[in-house]
Amino acid sequence: MTNKILIASIAVFFCAMPASAEHVICTGVDDTAALQTALDAGPTKFVGNCVVCSLNAANRRPILHGVGPVYSNINPKPDCPEWATKKGHIIDFSGSYFVDLADFSVGWGAGNAVITQTAFAFMQTEPATSNLVRVNNVFVLGKFRSTTFYVYGVASGRVRDSEFYNFNPGADTLSSVVYMTGKNGWGLESNFATISTNVGIGAPQWQFSSNEIHNYPGVGGNAAAIWLDGADDVHFFGGVISAGGLAYVFVDGNVSHIIFHGVAFGQDGDPVIPASVFRVNSGNLADVSLLANHYTGNPPLYDGPGSHP
């Protein structure tokens, strides 16, 4: 049955895209060159299990679509040297704009055992050109040293109907799932672009709608699901957020204009129950709108040494 579905998906795959789009059927061995060549040529649609080293989607207008999570999947190749560095992103979108990602997964199956730096890195460059990111029906899981979804100084994103996980384990693990920063808090780098050292904006005008964001650090992990580091104007509507660390949301620096409406904050299987919803590690959290959320265990809303409502 699975093979029949895959064959049907491939048939639809070739019929649905315009002739100008690049089509890739992955082999599951090393598909880096095939996917990279397609991305370099223009809009790309792929099917199959793709095994890759870091893909260069930087400084361009990338369109990357699959036929649906699992049937279109990207796994990190285990022996790529960049995974151990600050440049180890499965897909690097630094400096890109009008980014359009839809209908695929990352890390499904054996690929989620490989530890990389991030899955997706959206980082501002010199000159500042990166903005306008759209993500729809994308499923990402794996083990990420910094975070699953990293946004540094890039404005205007819409993420909907997607799921993001981080299974990076261990005591004192500070890996998050979604990290929004105006100061490149992890000091991440790119193999393909020059990253800005002073963007002056805190990744504003991002909206997350009906997503699931899960962090599973295990016993002893201090991680949060979401980390707002000098970020502002970030909004979450609906969906589920779970974490097994000190809090669901970490805050550092000056963070404001934050919205969580209709979100289910839950433990979701991790043995550690977060001590609070927000932990303000430093700086000031202001202008927060919380409406119709559900909090498993009813933890306090705020904790930490920083200033908060």
Side-chain angles (χ1 to χ4, degrees), residues 37-57:
T37 299
L39 285 168
D40 291 343
T44 299
K45 194 163 191 176
F46 73 98
V47 70
N49 182 42
C50 308
V51 176
V52 302
C53 292
S54 185
L55 292 172
N56 176 10

Side-chain angles (χ1 to χ4, degrees), residues 271-297:
V272 180
I273 299 175
S276 63
V277 178
F278 294 90
R279 177 173 175 79
V280 185
N281 301 309
S282 65
N284 178 53
L285 174 63
D287 195 9
V288 181
S289 177
L290 305 175
L291 179 65
N293 299 313
H294 172 75
Y295 307 101
T296 299

Side-chain angles (χ1 to χ4, degrees), residues 225-304:
I226 298 166
W227 201 326
L228 304 175
D229 179 23
D232 56 20
D233 199 14
V234 183
H235 305 160
F236 296 85
F237 299 101
V240 179
I241 297 172
S242 72
L246 294 177
Y248 292 103
V249 183
F250 276 175
V251 174
D252 281 280
N254 293 321
V255 174
S256 63
H257 302 98
I258 306 301
I259 292 175
F260 288 88
H261 287 182
V263 175
F265 291 86
Q267 183 188 0
D268 202 32
D270 196 281
V272 180
I273 299 175
S276 63
V277 178
F278 294 90
R279 177 173 175 79
V280 185
N281 301 309
S282 65
N284 178 53
L285 174 63
D287 195 9
V288 181
S289 177
L290 305 175
L291 179 65
N293 299 313
H294 172 75
Y295 307 101
T296 299
N298 293 315
L301 288 177
Y302 304 104
D303 191 11

